[in-house]
Amino acid sequence: MARTINEKYRQEKRNNIIQVAISLFPVNGFSQTTISMIAKKAGMSTSTVLLYFPSKEDLFHCAVLESLTELKSLFINIEPETHDPAEQITKMVIQHITALSKRVPYLKLIHYVINQHERFPELTKEIFTVSEEFIEFLSLMIKKGQELEQVKQTDARETAWAYLAYINGISVVITEPEESPFWKGLIRQGIRIVGGNVI
């Protein structure tokens, strides 16, 4: 039992370090963000942070890739609760934008990496790989809706890219807190782009 509690405590501490890093790296840049800055904001010593992450590079990579894996799961692994593609698209957009409203700092980190793609080529490649997987997933969903005449006839891949561009743009310009009703309007517009049932 003690081992379970200790492991949970260690994981919470590690997650806290990653969340602080996610909030600082895009604001200060990789070079200007120090382990001591992260430690101070996380309320722990520099040596404690280094127990979890042996270097700033390691922490940066973990902050980007572990959160990317979580985001990929939220965006691509959507259980089909219905055989109605338009309804499924609607639920998907709600899930996406609700998730984004809680992860704006991480999305800013993604944009930072992409803007520094020459410096972080491996991370950029990972981000683009996940983006392409999402485009394939969404294109198939749109085509299925079109075959059943539930979703407007467009180029499914172009529509998928337009939606991805839309949700990426949200993270750049929207600063509203997650509880703001503004996000509901963003959900409605996202549904219109993809062709679901507007709520």
Side-chain angles (χ1 to χ4, degrees), residues 5-191:
I5 293 169
N6 287 339
E7 184 56 37
K8 183 180 177 190
Y9 175 73
R10 278 194 288 273
Q11 192 59 45
E12 286 173 356
K13 207 167 202 179
R14 186 179 185 281
N15 289 343
N16 183 39
I17 295 167
I18 287 177
Q19 292 310 311
V20 169
I22 285 170
S23 73
L24 292 177
F25 279 126
V27 173
N28 301 306
F30 179 79
S31 298
Q32 299 302 314
T33 303
T34 64
I35 291 290
S36 60
M37 286 168 62
I38 293 166
K40 183 176 180 183
K41 188 167 180 183
M44 57 187 75
S45 68
T46 300
S47 58
T48 301
V49 173
L50 291 171
L51 282 173
Y52 291 89
F53 302 96
S55 68
K56 182 169 74 169
E57 289 77 10
D58 183 58
L59 174 53
F60 186 78
H61 278 73
C62 288
V64 173
L65 294 179
E66 289 179 21
S67 299
L68 185 63
T69 299
E70 179 189 350
L71 203 60
K72 176 182 173 180
S73 178
L74 282 167
F75 269 62
I76 296 176
N77 298 331
I78 295 174
E79 293 297 323
E81 297 175 12
T82 174
H83 295 293
D84 180 336
E87 187 179 336
Q88 189 175 358
I89 287 171
T90 299
K91 289 182 178 185
M92 176 199 71
V93 173
I94 292 168
Q95 178 176 316
H96 290 171
I97 296 181
T98 301
L100 293 180
S101 73
K102 300 173 186 191
R103 290 169 178 79
V104 170
Y106 176 67
L107 296 170
K108 292 187 186 307
L109 178 60
I110 290 288
H111 287 285
Y112 173 76
V113 171
I114 292 170
N115 287 333
Q116 302 279 323
H117 60 91
E118 290 177 358
R119 185 174 189 180
F120 308 112
E122 300 87 14
L123 293 175
T124 302
K125 184 179 177 183
E126 289 290 332
I127 292 166
F128 286 148
T129 297
V130 170
S131 296
E132 189 58 44
E133 287 177 31
F134 174 66
I135 293 299
E136 290 303 314
F137 166 80
L138 183 53
S139 296
L140 289 173
M141 190 182 289
I142 293 168
K143 285 177 185 174
K144 184 178 175 185
Q146 290 172 340
E147 286 167 7
L148 296 172
E149 299 182 350
Q150 294 180 347
V151 174
K152 61 187 173 187
Q153 294 297 319
T154 62
D155 182 297
R157 192 167 171 79
E158 285 179 9
T159 301
W161 273 111
Y163 175 70
L164 182 60
Y166 173 72
I167 58 179
N168 274 309
I170 287 172
S171 66
V172 175
V173 298
I174 305 300
T175 57
E176 296 290 324
E178 66 179 271
E179 63 277 0
S180 170
F182 189 68
W183 289 97
K184 288 184 180 174
L186 296 177
I187 288 170
R188 284 192 294 275
Q189 296 308 318
I191 293 167

